Amino acid sequence: MMNANDAIAYIHSVCWKGTIPGLGRTQELLRLMGNPEKQTKFVHIAGTNGKGSTAAMTASILRKAGYRTGLYTSPYIYRFHERMQVDGVEITDEELSEITEYVKPLAESMAESPTEFELVCCIAFEFFKRRNCDIVVLEVGMGGALDSTNVIEVPEVAVITNIGLDHTDVLGNTLEEIAETKAGIFKEGGHAVVYRGAPGVEAVFERICDQRHVQLKKADFDSLQSVSHSLEGQTFHCGCRKDLFLPLLGNHQLHNAAVVLAVADTLMELGWNITEQNIRDGLRDVRWPGRFDIMRRDPLFIIDGGHNPQCIEALVQNIRDYLPGKELVVLTGVLADKDYADMYQPVMPYVKQFICVTPPNPRKLEAAQLAQYLSDTSGIPAAAYDKIEDGVASALKAAGTDGVVLCFGSLYMIGSIKDALEQL
């Protein structure tokens, strides 16, 4: 009998190739499993940034409305089990082991092996079926048209969040090309909600919705109004909804919330029983780890998982809005294959010291190399630590009691940083 560690080791094992576009393998494995994905309804979410937050808010509202709600997200921040939850509770070790053991011989019987992501998707679909979910909020892994999650039939709502230039080698070189790929989740006769974007991007969505007879709703950004914000959260108006409270920080999260309100409106029009109070409570109680996430107060210790240019832009805006006049100790580490110059440049004016660590990943950039690069380009002192716990201790010391430690960089180190912080 497998245990959870065996199951995760098996999922990560070398027999699954990297990313190969195409739905054929996922469809075949699901067919061998009796098509568990056909047993539930979905809200399907694609986009470059804000997918996870949008999914978390949507799932929170549906839970408040009394629906048994699945949530599928990627990548995980702290541990693998986060990727599949029902009513805010992660898959248990037992369920993960049982379902992986069930899927394993079926996957191994296939002429062409599924990829790791395809395998995880199929495990998730089986989990949601076994838990009798009323609805699942399903986040796309990458792209849209050829992402494994796109094997589902017409979702209740297909959602596209903010689009940026990411994974251009796979998805296209312009925002319009990327929008075209993401809009692959719009299915004949369905309903769609989109984040407002450049006119060219919106034109792509309009054309595809037109061709596929999809009813399109654009998020209402015109009436979005920030009322107040603090490190506890923010209050805002959107349309006729006044004084909504959101614990997620940053102006971009208000735009994501406007998308979620349009999703809730669409679901209500389709007959889902969601009240205005469910919407308020869902937004108020949403939790989404690793996004300008305050881990402790003295000193302030903030973790942010943003790592592409749009995320860094949002991070800098948050530094200005929430940490004015503060000098930051930045705790960071990156993968060697990331374009890390673009990542650090915008943040440099706010930093008094860099503490560099090495992420626990084969593609890591050594902490000493990163420290050398940062001190050479910025003139800001940068120290390197091989052990993440030593880096965390050093950052806390450097910040003192009323300073700020801001941790950003590779998602792969965030779990280890949280563990080290808890041990200290």
Side-chain angles (χ1 to χ4, degrees):
M1 175 73 185
M2 269 187 186
N3 65 28
N5 291 339
D6 297 337
I8 292 169
Y10 177 72
I11 289 165
H12 290 329
S13 64
V14 289
C15 59
W16 317 112
K17 304 183 206 73
T19 313
I20 312 163
L23 302 178
R25 294 172 299 276
T26 313
Q27 285 163 334
E28 186 185 345
L29 182 50
L30 288 169
R31 189 178 52 73
L32 293 169
M33 293 164 65
N35 291 106
E37 81 288 0
K38 291 188 174 165
Q39 315 274 318
T40 185
K41 306 237 187 283
F42 295 94
V43 172
H44 200 191
I45 303 182
T48 310
N49 293 315
K51 293 196 298 277
S53 311
T54 302
M57 287 185 243
T58 304
S60 183
I61 289 170
L62 283 161
R63 284 210 305 279
K64 295 289 182 187
Y67 292 108
R68 183 172 292 188
T69 306
L71 177 63
Y72 178 75
T73 55
S74 62
Y76 60 91
I77 304 275
Y78 299 123
R79 65 186 216 127
F80 180 86
H81 299 54
E82 286 165 35
R83 295 184 65 169
M84 40 197 100
Q85 310 177 10
V86 172
D87 290 344
V89 181
E90 297 168 2
I91 188 171
T92 62
D93 284 352
E94 293 71 31
E95 288 169 306
L96 183 60
S97 316
E98 260 173 46
I99 295 172
T100 306
E101 199 154 14
Y102 161 65
V103 174
K104 181 183 177 207
L106 302 173
E108 287 173 355
S109 74
M110 288 165 58
E112 191 185 352
S113 294
T115 65
E116 180 178 323
F117 185 75
E118 290 165 350
L119 190 66
V120 175
C121 278
C122 293
I123 289 168
F125 284 133
E126 180 67 20
F127 168 59
F128 297 132
K129 184 200 89 170
R130 290 186 183 192
R131 285 289 200 95
N132 297 314
C133 288
D134 297 311
I135 191 163
V136 173
V137 181
L138 186 70
E139 184 190 328
V140 165
M142 183 174 70
L146 298 176
D147 185 79
S148 322
T149 60
N150 206 29
V151 295
I152 63 169
E153 291 173 349
V154 187
E156 296 296 286
V157 194
V159 186
I160 298 185
T161 65
N162 196 2
I163 286 189
L165 292 170
D166 205 10
H167 301 297
T168 47
D169 49 335
V170 185
L171 304 179
N173 293 309
T174 66
L175 290 175
E176 287 78 6
E177 284 175 10
I178 291 174
E180 188 91 34
T181 309
K182 307 266 184 205
I185 68 167
F186 296 165
K187 296 191 171 72
E188 186 66 36
H191 291 77
V193 167
V194 299
Y195 189 104
R196 302 300 305 256
V201 167
E202 291 195 11
V204 170
F205 295 149
E206 285 163 8
R207 172 173 53 77
I208 292 173
C209 285
D210 214 30
Q211 288 165 354
R212 299 184 189 161
H213 311 101
V214 170
Q215 286 189 36
L216 175 63
K217 198 180 256 129
K218 295 174 184 177
D220 176 9
F221 290 171
D222 297 334
S223 73
L224 197 55
Q225 194 188 338
S226 171
V227 178
S228 63
H229 63 261
S230 71
L231 286 168
E232 310 310 317
Q234 41 189 346
T235 302
F236 68 103
H237 303 326
C238 188
C240 58
R241 295 181 171 109
K242 305 295 180 200
D243 296 315
L244 297 161
F245 180 80
L246 186 66
L248 307 180
L249 303 182
N251 191 259
H252 61 293
Q253 294 291 15
L254 297 186
H255 289 82
N256 292 334
V259 172
V260 172
L261 293 172
V263 172
D265 285 338
T266 306
L267 288 168
M268 284 149 76
E269 285 158 20
L270 290 169
W272 291 83
N273 190 9
I274 299 167
T275 66
E276 289 299 318
Q277 195 59 48
N278 299 151
I279 291 171
R280 281 181 182 276
D281 295 346
L283 292 179
R284 184 198 65 217
D285 292 343
V286 66
R287 295 285 167 269
W288 187 236
R291 300 297 185 276
F292 210 72
D293 201 357
I294 296 166
M295 308 304 289
R296 60 175 277 177
R297 293 279 170 172
D298 306 307
L300 207 51
F301 194 107
I302 298 172
I303 286 182
D304 192 89
H307 54 286
N308 65 27
Q310 276 182 320
C311 296
I312 299 301
E313 213 177 287
L315 175 61
V316 170
Q317 191 58 53
N318 280 351
I319 292 169
R320 288 197 198 112
D321 288 346
Y322 294 95
L323 306 168
K326 297 278 192 189
E327 288 189 314
L328 311 180
V329 174
V330 167
L331 175 62
T332 189
V334 281
L335 302 185
D337 53 13
K338 284 283 175 199
D339 188 357
Y340 49 87
D342 290 353
M343 199 157 127
Y344 293 108
Q345 212 68 46
V347 179
M348 282 174 184
Y350 309 95
V351 180
K352 73 166 184 178
Q353 187 180 348
F354 284 106
I355 307 280
C356 302
V357 293
T358 307
N361 185 284
R363 288 152 45 210
K364 63 186 182 257
L365 182 71
E366 295 297 338
Q369 262 179 283
L370 179 58
Q372 186 74 54
Y373 164 78
L374 289 171
S375 62
D376 288 352
T377 50
S378 67
I380 298 166
Y385 294 89
D386 289 329
K387 286 190 173 157
I388 284 181
E389 47 270 38
D390 296 343
V392 171
S394 168
L396 288 169
K397 192 171 170 210
T401 45
D402 59 350
V404 180
V405 178
L406 174 63
C407 158
F408 79 101
S410 170
L411 283 173
Y412 291 98
M413 64 178 188
I414 286 179
S416 311
I417 284 172
K418 181 175 180 252
D419 293 344
L421 192 62
E422 282 168 0
Q423 276 155 23
L424 286 167

